[in-house]
Amino acid sequence: MEPQERHDAPAPAGPGQALEQPLLGQPQQRPEQQPEQQPQPAAVPVPDALDLISRLIDTVEPSQLVAVHCMDETGKVLFWNRSCAELYGIPAADALARPLADLLSYERAEEYEQALADAWRSGRARPARDWQVSTAAGRRLWVSSTLFPVTQDGVVRQMFCVDADITARRLQEDALRAAGENFLQLYLRSNDAILMLQGERISDLNPAALALFKCGNREEMVGHRLRDFSTPQTPPGPDMPLPGADDDRQADSSLRYDWRFLNCAGEAFWAEVLMTSISLDHGYLFYVVVRDISARKQAERTLHLAAQVFENCRDAIVLTDRHRYIIAINRSYTLITSYAAEEMLGRPLALRRSGQDAHDFQRQVWQEMDATGHWQGEVSCRRKNGELFPGWLSLTTIRDSADRVSNYMGMLSDITDRKRSEDHTRHLAEHDFLTDLPNRVLLLDRLSLGLAAARRNHTMLAILFIDLDRFKEVNDTLGHQVGDELLKEIAARLVKCVRGADTVSRQGGDEFLIILADIGGVDHAAHVAGSVLSAISQPFQLGPHALHVSGSIGISIYPNDGDGIEQLIHNADVAMYHAKESGRNGFQFFNADMHAQIAERVQLENGLRQALRTQEFELAFHAELDIASGAPVGVEALLRWRHPELGLLRPERFMGAAEDAGLMVPIGNWVLQQACRSARRWHEAGFRLAVAVNLSAAQFAQKGLPASVRDALAQSGLEPGCLELELTEAIIMKGGAAARDTLQALHGLGVRLAIDDFGTGYSRLGHLKDYPVHKLKIDRSFIHTLDGNTAVITAIVAMARSLNMVAIAEGVETQEQLNFLRSVGCHQYQGYLADAQVRASPLAPLLAGYGSA
């Protein structure tokens, strides 16, 4: 809705015919050939506003007594209704925006100007007065005029004038005076109520007075004062006046005023009182004419209320004639759009909506208006400075007493704030709260649109499913706050790797999904995947933490890998798992062979959960022997899964699936409990052996590990010194300061700690002395290639002895290897050679599952 220049004068729009100008045209003159436009009282923006306006127009428009015009402070005419045009013989088109003084001349001009000035200054309505008026065309007539100021914020903004034609009455009164001989007949037959007052008392009245006051006989009124028939609440101002009641008044003077009476039936009504004093025998006789003006007063009150609501409404209101040309706007319209009333009067009403052809939109609106008389909806509006803003427009049709369209009224609200709030709410519903990337809801919507376009244009579309490698370790070691910051940084990098037409979405956790729309081939998807991996692998500096992460990407292509949304996402997910199993930090395209592998993986995870419930796990043991004496000193517990279909499975077959399924902690706790029970049974049988249990990274990272160890010892009755917990250097190094605390807590329980696979990667000799470690296990790879690693083995044994630790060698298979270990001072060994010796000893029957290792 905004002004628009109209260069050609269009014909008036008929039913269903839309004007092609935007709402509220640019300042221009209305075409002379257009029909006269009559301003109508404006409607109000309250629930009954439209009805109020309609009733007001129905009330005041057909009445000859109510000619309404309105002017501003400068005297320019703002309203000029049909009765005004008929009364003064001046069309509305000739009256609007012209000074009233150019249209009408008052015989007592100074008195009229003073009355007008008093109304502007006081802000209070002025009582009706009779004025003799001459029009610009030379026509002379008498009118009874009432002034009604309209205020806004305590300031008078407009002046409504309600005029009644009393020319005939004045002529009749003149005729009465000129024809005294016929006075009695006129008195008795007059339609006006006439009373005679002697002093203040009613001395006589005509039949019309009895009818007006609804009194059954003359005695109910004669002898009473006229003020005795006033309502308990009289109109504001002085008491009922009596002309000639004092010596200062001249004889034959007259007064005219409006008064609220109460008739003999107890009903209140408004009347116009014309009181004339006539000198008689050195006294005064009052000749009083009383006319019922209740209908006019009701119309005046309705008009005044409508005008006040119209001007004080917070919503913008625009009123047009039946040809959809603007005849009035309220102050809020000016405040919202910055267009003043003089810029808008006479402009065509036009409508537009963003994203829709203006002509089609207007046609739809006016078709509905013609059919129902109402329309409401969102429109696009423009302020005077050119700024666009969204508005909510309600239109209604106003009809006259003959059910003909006389006006249209629109109420406009600025919904900028509401739209902004709706957009914000929609954004929250469709975007990830952490990264502000599209969430799954918006992703599916965009993927649906992308697939529809790809089918229509016969193009390709790619989906990249991204999973961060070992992201859980960041959360576990540094906390979720650092993890959240890392996700935000990764999201920002991913967005930079794609085009504006592509979509990057966070699916939850550390999973992201990218839609590549309209790609030329699979090489495009591979290029983007490479860029993503490169961006993710760059170091992240988050406060004091320097982080290095990687990602695994699975790619599915439309139409090669599926035609539907869920199928394409699933296949990309499958390809991502294969990328992880292929070494991580890479990408993998989906192919059909992956289905079988993923299905097997899913079955394996489900089987592991079943195995925990049905006790399908069991333990096997490796003996640990003292090199000097050859006596057994302990055993290492190893996990096995006796699968109901696949047989006995070693850990390397199922531990990867257990880790992905989040089962490492419950499985590790089961191993810990069973190992402690087994060692307790050996002790009861007379074999005091220690039992060694391997800890996984997930198990070591859990905060409840010391409590789990304490519970296992308590439930089995095993002494803490007979439990040995093995963990790798990598697990300790990645744990940081938390790892040191966990090791101290375990040492405090009295259990022994061993470093497994020592020397294979994370050897931090400077830190080793700070850990409460009891034993170093020399990795079997050094023993198998003894000739090239004798110096390394010698150094490890020497270091262990210097730190008061036990050195144990894994994977000893030959006597030669054992002899070398004995020569360098190694304390213990395990492996095939040790197992062979235990099989021939009394200990063998007690080691359930022994030999299956």
Side-chain angles (χ1 to χ4, degrees):
M1 293 172 59
E2 76 272 1
Q4 180 186 33
E5 189 88 32
R6 187 180 66 187
H7 300 289
D8 300 316
Q17 179 182 355
L19 297 177
E20 298 186 0
Q21 289 82 13
L23 180 57
L24 310 184
Q26 290 284 3
Q28 59 179 344
Q29 294 299 323
R30 295 189 53 186
E32 293 298 330
Q33 65 272 26
Q34 293 295 332
E36 295 177 2
Q37 311 304 324
Q38 307 300 333
Q40 298 295 330
V44 293
V46 293
D48 296 329
L50 305 183
D51 291 341
L52 177 58
I53 289 297
S54 182
R55 290 198 305 270
L56 171 60
I57 294 177
D58 288 345
T59 300
V60 304
E61 196 59 55
S63 174
Q64 294 295 330
L65 294 176
V66 183
V68 182
H69 63 272
C70 173
M71 53 189 168
D72 60 17
E73 285 183 291
T74 65
K76 290 183 179 180
V77 173
L78 302 178
F79 287 86
W80 192 266
N81 76 341
R82 184 179 295 109
S83 294
C84 267
E86 294 175 355
L87 177 61
Y88 297 114
I90 302 174
D94 296 337
L96 290 175
R98 293 184 60 187
L100 184 66
D102 293 349
L103 307 175
L104 302 176
S105 297
Y106 290 81
E107 184 174 301
R108 291 176 290 169
E110 293 182 359
E111 291 184 32
Y112 179 80
E113 291 296 333
Q114 185 60 47
L116 193 60
D118 291 343
W120 279 103
R121 182 178 61 257
S122 66
R124 298 178 59 181
R126 309 302 298 170
R129 288 189 59 180
D130 295 350
W131 305 93
Q132 191 169 15
V133 181
S134 298
T135 67
R139 181 184 176 190
R140 294 170 62 85
L141 64 159
W142 281 90
V143 296
S144 176
S145 182
T146 308
L147 301 177
F148 289 95
V150 177
T151 61
Q152 169 69 31
D153 300 329
V155 179
V156 178
R157 304 290 184 183
Q158 299 177 12
M159 187 70 64
F160 274 85
C161 304
V162 180
D163 296 343
D165 185 4
I166 60 171
T167 303
R169 192 194 76 192
R170 293 296 294 245
L171 293 176
Q172 185 183 35
E173 291 171 355
D174 293 342
L176 283 174
R177 294 190 185 94
E181 65 278 6
N182 296 321
F183 172 77
L184 181 59
Q185 292 298 321
L186 293 175
Y187 172 77
L188 295 175
R189 297 181 181 180
S190 173
N191 292 327
D192 290 330
I194 303 175
L195 303 94
M196 297 296 183
L197 272 63
Q198 189 74 42
E200 291 189 17
R201 302 288 175 173
I202 300 173
S203 60
D204 197 7
L205 69 160
N206 70 347
L210 284 176
L212 177 61
F213 284 86
K214 295 186 178 180
C215 295
N217 53 67
R218 292 166 49 84
E219 286 70 22
E220 294 184 56
M221 296 190 69
V222 173
H224 293 276
R225 298 176 303 175
L226 190 57
R227 65 167 53 95
D228 294 340
F229 294 89
S230 298
T231 58
Q233 294 181 342
T234 57
D239 200 1
M240 182 181 294
L242 287 175
D246 55 65
D247 295 337
D248 295 334
R249 291 187 180 271
Q250 296 180 355
D252 301 328
S253 61
S254 298
L255 282 178
R256 182 207 168 278
Y257 56 90
D258 296 342
W259 202 261
R260 197 162 183 258
F261 290 103
L262 196 67
N263 62 29
C264 294
E267 301 167 345
F269 67 96
W270 275 98
E272 176 188 69
V273 180
L274 179 62
M275 184 176 291
T276 302
S277 62
I278 304 172
S279 59
L280 181 65
D281 297 331
H282 303 291
Y284 288 103
L285 175 67
F286 297 105
Y287 171 84
V288 182
V289 179
V290 182
R291 292 193 180 93
D292 188 349
I293 58 170
S294 297
R296 193 186 81 189
K297 281 292 186 179
Q298 180 61 38
E300 290 174 353
R301 283 195 298 271
T302 302
L303 174 63
H304 186 257
L305 174 62
Q308 291 288 355
V309 176
F310 177 85
E311 193 60 28
N312 289 277
C313 177
R314 295 182 61 184
D315 288 332
I317 302 178
V318 58
L319 191 67
T320 78
D321 60 20
R322 65 178 179 274
H323 300 299
R324 305 171 194 163
Y325 286 92
I326 298 171
I327 60 175
I329 63 170
N330 69 343
R331 183 168 177 263
S332 291
Y333 189 96
T334 299
L335 293 176
I336 292 175
T337 68
S338 298
Y339 286 106
E342 55 267 22
E343 297 176 276
M344 308 317 318
L345 297 181
R347 312 299 168 250
L349 179 70
L351 312 170
R352 64 173 50 170
R353 175 180 285 172
S354 178
Q356 189 171 353
D357 180 76
H359 182 76
D360 291 341
F361 177 59
Q362 289 193 111
R363 184 176 63 252
Q364 294 172 12
V365 170
W366 293 115
Q367 284 177 349
E368 184 171 340
M369 287 289 291
D370 292 339
T372 66
H374 300 279
W375 180 90
Q376 64 176 355
E378 186 176 331
V379 293
S380 179
C381 311
R382 189 184 301 275
R383 307 188 205 279
K384 190 174 182 179
N385 62 5
E387 175 191 354
L388 290 173
F389 69 94
W392 187 263
L393 178 66
S394 296
L395 286 174
T396 189
T397 302
I398 300 175
R399 298 180 178 273
D400 59 20
S401 57
D403 200 34
R404 295 171 301 189
V405 174
S406 60
N407 302 87
Y408 295 101
M409 190 198 72
M411 292 178 60
L412 176 68
S413 301
D414 185 346
I415 59 172
T416 301
D417 292 340
R418 191 187 81 185
K419 292 286 288 184
R420 186 181 296 115
S421 177
E422 291 175 353
D423 291 343
H424 178 65
T425 302
R426 186 181 303 108
H427 183 87
L428 292 178
E430 295 179 342
H431 288 76
D432 174 51
F433 73 96
L434 180 63
T435 63
D436 204 39
L437 293 176
N439 60 14
R440 183 172 178 83
V441 174
L442 184 55
L443 172 87
L444 294 179
D445 181 64
R446 292 187 179 178
L447 183 53
S448 176
L449 295 175
L451 285 176
R455 294 187 188 103
R456 184 170 59 253
N457 301 324
H458 304 288
T459 55
M460 300 177 69
L461 177 145
I463 295 179
L464 278 61
F465 201 114
I466 305 166
D467 185 86
L468 303 181
D469 299 330
R470 299 185 178 90
F471 174 76
K472 186 176 183 299
E473 296 177 9
V474 176
N475 276 342
D476 293 340
T477 57
L478 300 179
H480 288 277
Q481 183 175 358
V482 176
D484 289 347
E485 292 300 320
L486 177 60
L487 290 175
K488 292 179 183 179
E489 292 292 329
I490 290 174
R493 294 186 184 184
L494 293 180
V495 171
K496 295 179 181 180
C497 294
V498 300
R499 305 164 299 178
D502 301 326
T503 298
V504 179
S505 170
R506 179 178 176 231
Q507 297 298 286
D510 60 344
E511 293 181 343
F512 296 85
L513 195 147
I514 296 177
I515 303 174
L516 300 179
D518 191 16
I519 61 173
V522 294
D523 56 334
H524 183 181
H527 174 74
V528 174
S531 300
V532 168
L533 292 176
S534 176
I536 294 177
S537 64
Q538 298 301 313
F540 292 87
Q541 187 65 43
L542 302 177
H545 307 290
L547 303 180
H548 295 266
V549 297
S550 61
S552 299
I553 303 176
I555 307 173
S556 63
I557 304 293
Y558 168 85
N560 302 347
D561 301 327
D563 186 68
I565 293 176
E566 295 299 333
Q567 184 181 13
L568 287 169
I569 294 178
H570 171 74
N571 290 344
D573 190 10
V574 169
M576 182 273 295
Y577 274 104
H578 279 270
K580 277 188 174 295
E581 293 188 346
S582 299
R584 305 176 187 266
N585 195 28
F587 63 86
Q588 179 76 51
F589 282 92
F590 174 82
N591 61 66
D593 294 338
M594 295 180 179
H595 275 298
Q597 298 178 33
I598 291 297
E600 180 183 352
R601 184 60 169 263
V602 172
Q603 291 179 355
L604 203 59
E605 292 181 3
N606 293 334
L608 285 169
R609 294 185 176 89
Q610 178 70 18
L612 275 173
R613 293 193 298 267
T614 59
Q615 298 294 315
E616 294 177 8
F617 293 117
E618 58 186 55
L619 295 180
F621 301 94
H622 273 184
E624 298 177 345
L625 274 62
D626 181 73
I627 292 179
S629 65
V633 293
V635 294
E636 180 181 1
L638 301 172
L639 179 65
R640 300 292 184 266
W641 178 14
R642 193 166 294 279
H643 195 282
E645 298 176 358
L646 303 177
L648 192 66
L649 302 181
R650 299 172 67 87
E652 55 266 25
R653 178 70 183 277
F654 59 83
M655 292 306 286
E659 182 178 355
D660 291 340
L663 297 175
M664 292 301 294
V665 172
I667 291 177
N669 288 338
W670 183 88
V671 172
L672 182 64
Q673 294 167 0
Q674 294 301 318
C676 290
R677 291 192 182 103
S678 297
R680 175 64 181 173
R681 288 197 302 268
W682 303 335
H683 292 183
E684 294 172 350
F687 297 94
R688 188 175 177 79
L689 300 175
V691 63
V693 176
N694 290 281
L695 296 179
S696 67
Q699 195 174 8
F700 183 72
Q702 65 164 327
K703 295 181 178 179
L705 176 61
S708 298
V709 173
R710 186 187 304 110
D711 291 343
L713 292 171
Q715 292 173 10
S716 65
L718 183 67
E719 297 177 11
C722 294
L723 175 62
E724 186 175 279
L725 300 177
E726 297 183 3
L727 61 161
T728 65
E729 292 177 273
I731 293 176
I732 297 176
M733 293 301 109
K734 290 183 179 180
R740 188 188 305 274
D741 295 339
T742 301
L743 291 174
Q744 291 295 343
L746 295 174
H747 179 68
L749 294 177
V751 302
R752 294 174 175 268
L753 301 173
I755 301 297
D756 196 11
D757 301 334
F758 185 79
T760 58
Y762 276 91
S763 298
R764 301 285 295 274
L765 303 181
H767 292 171
L768 191 60
K769 62 182 176 61
D770 299 328
Y771 299 135
V773 175
H774 168 72
K775 181 184 290 186
L776 294 181
K777 301 190 74 171
I778 304 172
D779 188 71
R780 67 180 63 244
S781 62
F782 297 115
I783 305 300
H784 288 170
T785 55
L786 187 61
D787 293 341
N789 292 300
T790 55
V792 175
I793 296 173
T794 302
I796 294 175
V797 172
M799 182 187 65
R801 283 185 171 276
S802 67
L803 295 175
N804 294 320
M805 297 180 184
V806 174
I808 180 173
E810 297 180 290
V812 178
E813 298 180 355
T814 67
Q815 189 63 39
E816 179 186 2
Q817 294 169 343
L818 180 59
N819 291 338
F820 171 76
L821 293 172
R822 184 180 291 114
S823 68
V824 298
C826 186
H827 300 96
Q828 300 173 3
Y829 77 100
Q830 67 181 128
Y832 177 78
L833 197 62
D835 293 342
Q837 183 174 340
V838 171
R839 287 191 193 99
S841 72
L843 184 60
L846 298 178
L847 302 180
Y850 189 83
S852 62

